[in-house]
Amino acid sequence: MPGTTRPRRGDTPPPRTGSSETEVLRAFLDYLRTSIAAKVDGAPEPQVRTAAVPSGTNLLGLLHHLTSVERAMFLGEHVTDWQATFTAAPTDSVADVVTRYREAVERANEVLDDCTDLGAPLPRRRADRPAPSVRWALTHMIEETGRHAGHADILRELIDGATGR
């Protein structure tokens, strides 16, 4: 619309990294992690948890879900109901969910810091299923986080018009 100014977060370009596969994969994953946390951080209540599409997807629920995915993939936590991970508790503030996500990312990165072979199985505490390779886990998390970051772009713009990475 002419004459309308929309809030815009500064765009952050994709990471420039070293040449190793590990550096590239981890840098892109961290880039996406930072991006989606920034999209949720500061989003207004109650719109941050209000479904903006028929599927029921909401901005806060996306980050709550990604927290569960990080914990399951890298920390070996068991999730019994993945659909339930898309809903934050009514008592959870935006700051609570963002903080828990950032803490999960920090713990996941501590695990990844000890992974020197991308072809090796990801260290897990779960014996009920085989662990994927570190390469597969990083690639999957880039895909998962990137897909939901795209959803978050649209949801945040619908909430308050904010755009940008």
Side-chain angles (χ1 to χ4, degrees), residues 11-78:
D11 267 353
T12 304
R16 301 283 182 231
T17 65
S19 59
S20 83
E21 185 179 3
T22 300
E23 289 173 326
V24 170
L25 291 172
R26 290 202 52 194
F28 270 89
L29 179 55
D30 282 338
Y31 164 72
L32 291 167
R33 288 164 160 169
T34 299
S35 177
I36 195 161
K39 289 171 197 318
V40 177
D41 200 13
E45 290 278 4
Q47 297 93 330
V48 71
R49 62 180 76 240
T50 302
V53 293
S55 68
T57 302
N58 65 76
L59 191 57
L60 196 61
L62 283 176
L63 197 63
H64 186 266
H65 168 71
L66 283 173
T67 302
S68 297
V69 176
E70 290 278 350
R71 290 176 176 165
M73 181 64 66
F74 297 115
L75 307 176
E77 292 184 13
H78 183 67

Side-chain angles (χ1 to χ4, degrees), residues 107-129:
R107 290 181 58 211
N109 278 338
E110 289 170 2
V111 169
L112 288 167
D113 288 344
D114 292 332
C115 297
T116 57
D117 179 1
L118 289 174
L122 190 64
R124 289 185 131 166
R125 289 176 259 193
R126 292 180 58 188
D128 63 329
R129 62 167 42 156

Side-chain angles (χ1 to χ4, degrees), residues 71-156:
R71 290 176 176 165
M73 181 64 66
F74 297 115
L75 307 176
E77 292 184 13
H78 183 67
V79 174
T80 56
D81 182 357
W82 280 106
Q83 193 58 41
T85 67
F86 282 96
T87 305
T91 56
D92 284 342
S93 70
V94 172
D96 293 336
V97 175
V98 170
T99 297
R100 277 197 301 274
Y101 177 71
R102 288 181 173 145
E103 288 170 351
V105 165
E106 184 177 329
R107 290 181 58 211
N109 278 338
E110 289 170 2
V111 169
L112 288 167
D113 288 344
D114 292 332
C115 297
T116 57
D117 179 1
L118 289 174
L122 190 64
R124 289 185 131 166
R125 289 176 259 193
R126 292 180 58 188
D128 63 329
R129 62 167 42 156
S133 72
V134 175
R135 179 182 290 105
W136 187 93
L138 286 168
T139 303
H140 172 68
M141 289 304 298
I142 290 167
E143 174 272 328
E144 179 88 2
T145 307
R147 181 165 43 102
H148 291 314
H151 298 146
D153 281 337
I154 294 165
L155 293 173
R156 183 64 190 256

